[in-house]
Amino acid sequence: MSEISPVNGAVVHRRPRPRRAALPVVVRELTLEDIPAVFELGQKLFTPEKLPTLYRAWDEDELVQLYTTDRQTCLVAEAGGRVVGFALGQLMEKPRSAWRYGWLEWLGVDRGLKRRGVATRLLRQLTSRFIEREARIMLVDTDERNRAALAFFRKHGFGQEVRHVYLSRNLDSHPEAIARRETLEEPE
Ligand SMILES: CC(C)(COP(=O)(O)OP(=O)(O)OC[C@H]1O[C@@H](n2cnc3c(N)ncnc32)[C@H](O)[C@@H]1OP(=O)(O)O)[C@@H](O)C(=O)NCCC(=O)NCCS
């Protein structure tokens, strides 16, 4: 593989990455018994600095809520009796829209088993399930620095990217917060 170096314009020869064999996995619906394993895997992947978005947090409540609302679109990939990946999504209807959306909220694969087609299997199965349930658009989102996820989604036909800006304000320095702390600290 050859490409032009952005640094000095020289032709750089890169060896293509050796392709790893696809991992045989069973993709099936998430069960109650899988929740601890999925939670633990997600904790390793969605660390605070790697969270796909600021407005969602990876915690047990989120997982249990998805499991209870839309079990048919919560999938796990199992290999050797172990959960090695998951794709958790739900159907969404927007007010005043005739369209039904399939939203893939969390997708993750064990770090040691990446680039072996596990997420691809999960995504295909989830896509079929969304289609069966008459979703017409599938939505995904991720941090713009998450190059692996972006490459993955683009490879699988996702596009029409819309950028969204999150703003935050630290409320600890707000005068009301300061006053509140002072009141709480006042001796009786
Ligand atoms: C993104 C993620 C789910 C991909 O899982 P995966 O099982 O490794 O993906 P696949 O093996 O099915 O990859 C299919 C294709 O996607 C692209 N791709 C996947 N990971 C990539 C990477 N790190 N860099 C570049 N391209 C990548 C490649 O085109 C790959 O095909 P190839 O290996 O034949 O080149 C995985 O990296 C992950 O769990 N990341 C952390 C969690 C996360 O960011 N989730 C997404 C937001 S919720």
Side-chain angles (χ1 to χ4, degrees):
M1 221 192 284
S2 311
E3 56 188 53
I4 307 294
S5 161
V7 181
N8 58 11
V11 177
V12 182
H13 298 284
R14 277 201 304 130
R15 245 186 247 166
R17 196 180 57 84
R19 194 172 285 270
R20 292 172 75 193
L23 184 78
V25 288
V26 174
V27 173
R28 56 166 178 79
E29 264 175 43
L30 173 76
T31 65
L32 201 54
E33 292 73 43
D34 296 319
I35 288 186
V38 171
F39 177 65
E40 202 182 308
L41 181 53
Q43 266 194 316
K44 290 186 192 142
L45 300 171
F46 305 122
T47 51
E49 62 284 359
K50 288 212 155 180
L51 257 182
T53 58
L54 287 175
Y55 65 92
R56 288 191 281 134
W58 178 256
D59 57 29
E60 290 106 328
D61 287 350
E62 168 94 2
L63 192 49
V64 171
Q65 198 226 319
L66 273 167
Y67 170 77
T68 40
T69 45
D70 236 335
R71 203 164 311 172
Q72 289 169 355
T73 49
C74 288
L75 305 174
V76 293
E78 193 183 281
R82 188 167 73 86
V83 171
V84 296
F86 54 81
L88 312 175
Q90 62 178 309
L91 280 169
M92 226 172 57
E93 320 234 8
K94 291 195 184 176
R96 291 180 297 280
S97 165
W99 294 54
R100 193 177 253 209
Y101 298 79
W103 182 19
L104 168 54
E105 290 191 59
W106 300 99
L107 174 70
V109 171
D110 187 307
R111 283 215 173 93
L113 300 169
K114 284 186 178 172
R115 303 295 288 265
R116 302 203 48 194
V118 177
T120 298
R121 291 279 315 276
L122 285 160
L123 183 75
R124 283 195 187 132
Q125 169 86 240
L126 187 64
T127 308
S128 305
R129 286 176 177 235
F130 280 144
I131 293 169
E132 262 166 45
R133 298 181 63 196
E134 297 182 354
R136 293 179 63 196
I137 294 201
M138 195 161 163
L139 301 172
V140 297
D141 69 287
T142 189
D143 188 294
E144 67 178 339
R145 289 160 304 180
N146 190 342
R147 289 183 16 203
L150 285 173
F152 173 82
F153 289 128
R154 286 170 182 154
K155 176 171 186 180
H156 288 289
F158 289 82
Q160 300 197 315
E161 297 172 17
V162 178
R163 279 166 208 270
H164 195 95
V165 179
Y166 293 93
L167 295 97
S168 62
R169 177 182 178 190
N170 187 333
L171 293 180
D172 280 350
S173 52
H174 191 286
E176 284 174 31
I178 295 169
R180 186 168 180 275
R181 277 200 301 275
E182 283 169 358
T183 318
L184 291 173
E185 280 162 17
E186 260 169 33
E188 291 186 8

